[in-house]
Amino acid sequence: MGWLIKGGRIVDPANHLDRVMDLRIEEGRVAEVGEKLERRASDRVLDANGLVVAPGLIDMHAHFREPGHEEKEDIETGSKAAVMGGYTTVACMANTDPVCDNAAVVRYVIERGKQVGLCDVLPIGAVSKGLKGEELAEMADMAKAGAVAFSDDGRPVTSASLMMKALQYSQIVKKPVISHAEDVSLSSGTSMHFGRVSTRLGLRGVPSAGEESIVMRDVMLCREVGGKLHLAHLSSAWSVRFVRWAKANGLRFTAEATPHHLSLDHDYLLEHPYDTNAKVNPPLRAPEDRAEVCKGLSDGTIDVIATDHAPHCVDDKDLEFDQAAFGISGLETALPVCYTTLVQDMGMSLSSLITKMSLIPAQILGLDSVLRGTLTPGARADIVIFDPHTERVVDVGEFQSKGHNTPFAGSKLRGWPVHTFYKGNLVMTERRLA
Amino acid sequence: MHRWDLLGLENTSASDIVWILDTAKSMSDIMTRDIKKVPTLRGKSVCTLFFEPSTRTRSSFELACKYLSADTLSFSTTTSSVRKGETLADTALNIQAMGIDAVVIRHQSSGAPHYLAQKLKCPVINAGDGMHEHPTQALLDMYTMREHGVNFEGAKVAIIGDIAHSRVARSNAWGLTKLGAHVVFCGPPTLIPPDADKLGAEVVADADEAVRDADVVYMLRLQLERQSGGLFPSVREYRELYGLNRRRLALAKRGALVMHPGPMNRGVEIESDVADGPQSVILEQVTGGVLVRMAVLFRALGGGNEWAGS
Amino acid sequence: MVLREKAKIMDEQAMDRALSRIAHEVVERNKGVEGVVLVGIRRRGVPLANRLKQKIAEIEGKNIPVGVLDITLYRDDLALKAEQPVVQKTEVPFSVKGKHVVMVDDVIYTGRTARAAMDAIMDLGRPRTIQLAVLVDRGHRELPIRPDYVGKNVPTSQKEIIHVKVSEIDGADEVVIEEARDGGEE
């Protein structure tokens, strides 16, 4: 039995497509895309009139917390949150307990993802054993088991020497090393961006240079030894400017930004003093930083939008600001936040948005072998259908994620996912899990 | 219903600040009477919730309560269950459940009083939060200045020392500038926070320049442990660059006031002959502290006045 | 609340005559002014107390001390409202111990002000007696309190407001009854 999605605006950047058409799903794959496709007897019809039909979103940076911190999130609730947000593939960071630094944990995560069966849950292996930043983890072994990238995210790889080795290894495993750029000698004990707002609130701030210097270090290491480098969550203007310059000079690596760094800055904390929902690492920086991150996204300096979905339970957030955990639960709001901020307010094309939320992440994670991030016939039928018109208020009470920690609660947004297909199955419809 | 929290001076209006200073002045006669007590807050109970040691602020609040006939309850890190891992919110909610009418909180985390104010029904008074604000200190400083004839409009107040970590500097900057004073910050560049001018103060690098023609020279306490944190190289050098001595004080206006929130490091940020000299009002600051805190407690718990008569 | 003036019940002369009479009564009752002190209750009790002092000086040829009492901190009817009461200084620069303290106020109504004022005076020391002088007694007492000296008894309804005006504060000497146009007295 297949599906006929009728009358939606099909946005498929891989095929330079942005037109109102029909799309047929057969046997879990995209069968055809065309105008006025005929309904076959076995087709169920989904009316997508007024809606956008795009390849399922791919998040290359999320924290599903399992194993070890199931009180914050587990692979089931994380998967549910993903499909509510229009995501069909999610790469999960290694900072679990036990750390995902060996093939056994990699296999466990994949297996759990398959059991839940709502979306692809792909593990990212640790760069260093136990995230200790000392010895390289068994990257090749993990890659063979299915790890799609490597990162110590949550904390930086402090030693330049270890980072160099990881990049060298990334050549044989052909998977990216994701750099969480942070100089701990500057960031230790801080809880927000170093600037006028931290001064007013009396909070310790981390200077942008702490991110910029490590961004530069890792790009320079990559230039020298090669390998596949991906920079996570750029948040500072000068990080973006440096990346732009380095790419213009022929250096090859990729970079991401998060929905919150694209849409919020530290002024949020002036309006909501000590709101721990806005405590995140890297921090929300100055408006000029946010502007440059947005500019970097539109001019191609930044390749990918990744959520850095970091769910926490209320006990970790309902605290004094400097005691609270870092992170924003982002999967369920990523598309509406990006649609509203980038497409509606800044005039970015839908095609660019989908490129950065699906097509390029698929390429960086090496997922194109199964044709993901596109609606090309033959591609896996991972599809998000979202509504660019209807405004909705973010209600954390409706979240599937265990993490209700978001500064977007109460925001009015457009671009909400209405249906999500995973492998041709309707896993979310009318904003409810199927 | 309007809440009469005092979380900081950043969000306290100029007229409110003046009201507190005026009320403190009106209360000054209570301290000189035979019976140092008025029944105003009889039957009200105030909890002082101190997560940082502080003898003088706490005693000052407790005396202020007693003069107004409020009962006090002390919670501190050593006697409460905070050490057993109870959260701040739980501690405070438990205290509220005992029927407390107001909470006075001192906490090492900036924003802790704001956080509590969202949790509690009763008014919250900030007795110092992290590096953020210490509103009653600034109010007592302003009270002392006013008692000594400082007219805030156009007055120059030099605040010298570790601005970055100082809640006293922040609260004074907000309060003083609201009443029209010109506040100058001066200290080692490592101890000046980013965009310090956004607090309404002018930032000056040279201490002589900061003190020149000042109406008030306000010295901050130097936390000596900052030296091990690498924020300044040595006490000797600090004293030379930023300490207040007779030579430097002579650059200020004639009769300029010398102030310090205490406790002082004599021979570091302030020389003894200046601290004990005729221009020093450091001990009067302490007296003003009780009055200002009485006014703040009255503001929090005394409520508006509905005249039953004509 | 909009107030409407209903009637003038005392003019300048009437006020002056009433104060003269009270002055005589104070002297008579205390058999002179030995040990008598006046305490005006803020705000309008203060100018009235000063006038009484002057009249007593004319009668007896002696100046008696006048103090000023702010009873805000002694009130029992402070309610939580968005408006903060103004606390002013109490200035009683003499000892009340063993004295005949005559409290002076413009109007007595519920008696709560007088109660608060008595508490305030007691906290300053132990007077021999406390007496109360008012220009107008409008009734509706809520406490067992009775003034010793009354300028004029004025029966009122609770909707009405007695407004004693004194030239020092209001620019004229008169007593009027006002009525709230919409709703009752607060």
Side-chain angles (χ1 to χ4, degrees):
Chain A
M1 232 177 23
W3 280 94
L4 182 61
I5 301 168
K6 283 201 73 77
R9 175 176 165 189
I10 294 186
V11 176
D12 181 17
N15 293 304
H16 309 288
L17 210 62
D18 182 353
R19 206 154 15 123
V20 174
M21 283 193 291
D22 301 342
L23 182 149
R24 192 190 320 278
I25 298 172
E26 270 175 9
E27 290 168 354
R29 296 195 173 266
V30 175
E32 56 179 325
V33 176
E35 294 193 13
K36 303 209 167 69
L37 296 185
E38 237 172 71
R39 183 185 173 183
R40 294 178 189 165
S42 60
D43 283 345
R44 279 165 295 182
V45 176
L46 193 143
D47 180 6
N49 207 333
L51 306 177
V52 175
V53 180
L57 306 182
I58 297 174
D59 189 8
M60 56 184 298
H61 190 151
H63 298 269
F64 274 5
R65 310 293 189 201
E66 187 181 343
H69 289 288
E70 291 82 357
E71 78 282 7
K72 294 172 190 275
E73 192 82 293
D74 57 40
I75 288 171
E76 183 175 345
T77 56
S79 297
K80 287 177 176 171
V83 298
M84 286 306 293
Y87 283 88
T88 50
T89 300
V90 178
C92 294
M93 284 296 174
N95 59 342
T96 49
D97 185 15
V99 171
C100 185
D101 62 356
N102 61 73
V105 182
V106 168
R107 282 191 210 99
Y108 171 82
V109 171
I110 294 173
E111 201 45 50
R112 281 288 293 133
K114 281 184 177 158
Q115 280 171 11
V116 173
L118 290 169
C119 62
D120 274 16
V121 179
L122 307 174
I124 294 170
V127 163
S128 67
K129 285 182 188 142
L131 300 177
K132 287 199 174 82
E134 290 160 7
E135 294 171 57
L136 214 53
E138 294 171 329
M139 287 169 60
D141 217 26
M142 286 191 277
K144 217 161 88 185
V148 289
F150 296 92
S151 182
D152 277 3
D153 182 80
R155 61 180 73 168
V157 176
T158 308
S159 151
S161 154
L162 186 72
M163 191 62 179
M164 184 174 96
K165 294 182 184 100
L167 286 166
Q168 288 169 319
Y169 249 75
S170 77
Q171 296 162 21
I172 60 162
V173 300
K174 298 190 170 51
K175 307 283 181 200
V177 172
I178 302 177
S179 158
H180 167 113
E182 174 183 345
D183 183 333
V184 288
S185 76
L186 289 171
S187 63
S188 155
T190 65
S191 47
M192 65 173 297
H193 175 59
F194 179 79
R196 66 184 149 79
V197 181
S198 67
T199 293
R200 269 171 89 150
L201 296 178
L203 292 167
R204 288 170 206 276
V206 56
S208 303
E211 170 182 317
E212 291 147 5
S213 58
I214 303 298
V215 162
M216 291 180 202
R217 180 197 79 176
D218 290 349
V219 170
M220 288 301 128
L221 284 170
C222 180
R223 181 199 69 78
E224 195 145 349
V225 303
K228 237 181 137 178
L229 174 68
H230 176 78
L231 301 170
H233 43 52
L234 295 188
S235 68
S236 112
W238 282 100
S239 292
V240 176
R241 291 185 190 119
F242 172 76
V243 166
R244 185 181 293 127
W245 174 85
K247 284 185 166 183
N249 281 277
L251 304 186
R252 300 208 42 195
F253 59 95
T254 53
E256 77 189 26
T258 70
H260 45 274
H261 291 114
L262 289 161
S263 56
L264 297 175
D265 52 56
H266 65 173
D267 284 342
Y268 176 92
L269 281 165
L270 280 187
E271 288 151 33
H272 307 84
Y274 307 106
D275 180 356
T276 59
N277 286 319
K279 182 176 176 182
V280 64
N281 185 22
L284 302 177
R285 297 199 191 270
E288 48 274 29
D289 291 300
R290 178 176 93 88
E292 193 64 35
V293 173
C294 288
K295 189 176 161 208
L297 191 78
S298 35
D299 69 13
T301 301
I302 295 170
D303 306 273
V304 168
I305 297 170
T307 65
D308 197 2
H309 176 73
H312 286 291
C313 44
V314 66
D315 297 343
D316 300 316
K317 278 289 193 181
D318 186 10
L319 290 170
E320 301 90 303
F321 197 85
D322 57 3
Q323 303 295 310
F326 290 96
I328 290 172
S329 178
L331 274 169
E332 290 172 77
T333 52
L335 182 57
V337 165
C338 291
Y339 180 84
T340 306
T341 309
L342 302 171
V343 179
Q344 178 186 290
D345 298 346
M346 287 174 47
M348 181 188 255
S349 73
L350 262 179
S351 181
S352 300
L353 184 70
I354 299 305
T355 302
K356 297 188 189 287
M357 296 185 85
S358 181
L359 178 61
I360 300 183
Q363 290 166 353
I364 294 173
L365 296 176
L367 305 177
D368 26 15
S369 59
V370 285
L371 277 168
R372 263 182 277 181
T374 170
L375 300 175
T376 304
R380 213 166 80 176
D382 292 353
I383 296 170
V384 57
I385 299 177
F386 65 94
D387 179 352
H389 305 295
T390 309
E391 193 172 75
R392 285 174 60 93
V393 174
V394 177
D395 175 5
V396 293
E398 294 175 353
F399 273 20
Q400 293 294 332
S401 170
K402 289 180 186 174
H404 292 185
N405 46 305
T406 171
F408 297 109
S411 297
K412 287 180 185 162
L413 301 173
R414 290 197 171 85
W416 290 90
V418 183
H419 310 283
T420 304
F421 283 94
Y422 170 61
K423 293 180 173 171
N425 296 314
L426 195 55
V427 287
M428 186 276 278
T429 183
E430 303 294 352
R431 300 212 44 75
R432 282 170 198 282
L433 294 171
Chain B
M1 193 173 72
H2 191 91
R3 294 178 60 118
W4 293 103
D5 300 304
L6 181 69
L7 302 179
L9 294 192
E10 181 181 354
N11 295 312
T12 304
S13 68
S15 62
D16 239 8
I17 292 171
V18 169
W19 182 92
I20 292 169
L21 298 179
D22 286 347
T23 305
K25 175 77 182 163
S26 297
M27 288 179 166
S28 60
D29 84 294
I30 298 169
M31 281 174 76
T32 61
R33 294 187 197 172
D34 286 351
I35 300 172
K36 291 196 198 59
K37 210 185 229 334
V38 289
T40 318
L41 300 184
R42 201 173 50 184
K44 304 280 187 191
S45 42
V46 175
C47 178
T48 55
L49 188 55
F50 274 52
F51 294 85
E52 263 183 3
S54 155
T55 321
R56 78 177 63 192
T57 304
R58 181 187 208 124
S59 324
S60 179
F61 266 111
E62 289 183 356
L63 263 180
C65 287
K66 291 181 202 311
Y67 290 156
L68 293 174
S69 302
D71 296 309
T72 57
L73 171 71
S74 294
F75 259 68
S76 64
T77 38
T78 45
T79 56
S80 76
S81 48
V82 173
R83 291 234 169 129
K84 295 175 206 151
E86 191 178 44
T87 65
L88 171 59
D90 283 341
T91 304
L93 288 169
N94 271 284
I95 289 165
Q96 179 171 266
M98 296 175 195
I100 290 290
D101 297 295
V103 168
V104 175
I105 180 178
R106 156 75 58 100
H107 200 282
Q108 60 276 11
S109 293
S110 299
H114 295 68
Y115 173 74
L116 271 200
Q118 286 166 10
K119 299 274 171 197
L120 299 183
K121 292 192 198 80
C122 70
V124 174
I125 295 167
N126 183 358
D129 64 326
M131 316 186 301
H132 178 232
E133 284 224 43
H134 191 351
T136 56
Q137 175 72 44
L139 288 165
L140 74 88
D141 294 335
M142 294 167 77
Y143 179 82
T144 308
M145 291 180 210
R146 210 162 80 153
E147 283 293 283
H148 284 272
V150 174
N151 176 17
F152 295 117
E153 191 65 48
K156 176 176 175 181
V157 180
I159 302 179
I160 299 171
D162 179 358
I163 307 290
H165 301 93
S166 177
R167 50 197 178 206
V168 175
R170 281 174 177 78
S171 286
N172 265 297
W174 290 123
L176 286 164
T177 52
K178 278 181 189 190
L179 298 194
H182 174 54
V183 176
V184 174
F185 283 159
C186 178
T190 48
L191 295 174
I192 300 284
D195 294 315
D197 57 318
K198 296 292 196 308
L199 299 171
E202 182 193 356
V203 181
V204 164
D206 180 58
D208 284 357
E209 199 48 48
V211 170
R212 197 179 309 281
D213 295 325
D215 296 273
V216 178
V217 182
Y218 195 110
M219 302 308 295
L220 296 172
R221 176 178 167 78
L222 183 70
Q223 306 278 356
L224 296 176
E225 60 270 24
R226 305 268 180 240
Q227 187 183 339
S228 52
L231 289 165
F232 66 96
S234 75
V235 166
R236 196 191 62 79
E237 189 199 79
Y238 182 91
R239 179 175 58 211
E240 197 52 37
L241 287 174
Y242 304 102
L244 187 64
N245 49 38
R246 285 225 300 250
R247 180 199 66 76
R248 189 160 276 152
L249 181 58
L251 299 171
K253 274 200 191 128
R254 259 178 82 103
L257 304 180
V258 172
M259 301 181 75
H260 191 292
M264 288 184 278
N265 294 302
R266 289 169 180 266
V268 183
E269 69 264 8
I270 189 162
E271 297 300 323
S272 278
D273 55 354
V274 174
D276 305 330
Q279 288 167 262
S280 167
V281 294
I282 294 168
L283 282 175
E284 289 165 60
Q285 287 173 265
V286 180
T287 312
V290 177
L291 297 175
V292 154
R293 288 174 179 123
M294 286 166 75
V296 166
L297 287 161
F298 177 60
R299 176 177 176 267
L301 292 172
N305 192 350
E306 196 171 358
W307 291 101
S310 57
Chain C
M1 188 169 65
V2 184
L3 294 174
R4 185 172 58 88
E5 188 174 315
K6 241 173 108 174
K8 187 191 277 191
I9 51 175
M10 286 174 99
D11 59 12
E12 199 182 331
Q13 286 79 17
M15 275 173 73
D16 192 57
R17 279 194 293 272
L19 286 169
S20 296
R21 179 167 50 75
I22 292 173
H24 281 284
E25 286 174 12
V26 169
V27 173
E28 192 184 335
R29 163 127 175 218
N30 294 291
K31 302 184 177 69
V33 289
E34 191 56 39
V36 173
V37 298
L38 299 176
V39 170
I41 299 170
R42 283 196 198 271
R43 284 179 76 201
R44 289 181 179 75
V46 178
L48 296 179
N50 285 325
R51 291 185 198 183
L52 275 180
K53 168 200 164 97
Q54 216 174 349
K55 290 194 180 294
I56 290 169
E58 285 162 16
I59 300 164
E60 286 287 291
K62 281 183 192 156
N63 268 317
I64 57 170
V66 179
V68 173
L69 203 61
D70 186 282
I71 50 106
T72 313
L73 297 174
Y74 287 83
R75 297 199 69 92
D76 65 354
D77 50 6
L78 291 173
L80 277 179
K81 285 180 70 183
E83 277 294 304
Q84 284 291 356
V86 175
V87 182
Q88 285 179 313
K89 224 172 160 173
T90 287
E91 290 164 278
V92 181
F94 46 83
S95 170
V96 298
K97 203 171 158 191
K99 298 279 167 48
H100 298 286
V101 177
V102 180
M103 308 188 300
V104 183
D105 205 357
D106 54 349
V107 178
I108 184 161
Y109 180 26
T110 60
R112 286 175 196 274
T113 301
R115 200 277 316 162
M118 280 191 278
D119 282 354
I121 287 167
M122 302 283 228
D123 277 359
L124 297 174
R126 187 182 181 282
R128 180 124 179 256
T129 62
I130 297 178
Q131 300 160 25
L132 175 60
V134 297
L135 190 63
V136 175
D137 182 349
R138 59 168 296 192
H140 304 287
R141 212 77 74 241
E142 292 169 4
L143 298 172
I145 285 174
R146 175 184 54 75
D148 301 277
Y149 315 102
V150 178
K152 190 177 174 71
N153 283 295
V154 181
T156 56
S157 84
Q158 285 187 318
K159 277 189 177 168
E160 290 166 334
I161 291 168
I162 300 284
H163 192 174
V164 172
K165 296 181 185 172
V166 291
S167 55
E168 293 90 329
I169 294 169
D170 309 290
D173 279 348
E174 61 178 10
V175 178
V176 295
I177 297 188
E178 290 166 342
E179 193 178 40
R181 192 168 290 173
D182 44 356
E185 186 179 347
E186 59 175 357

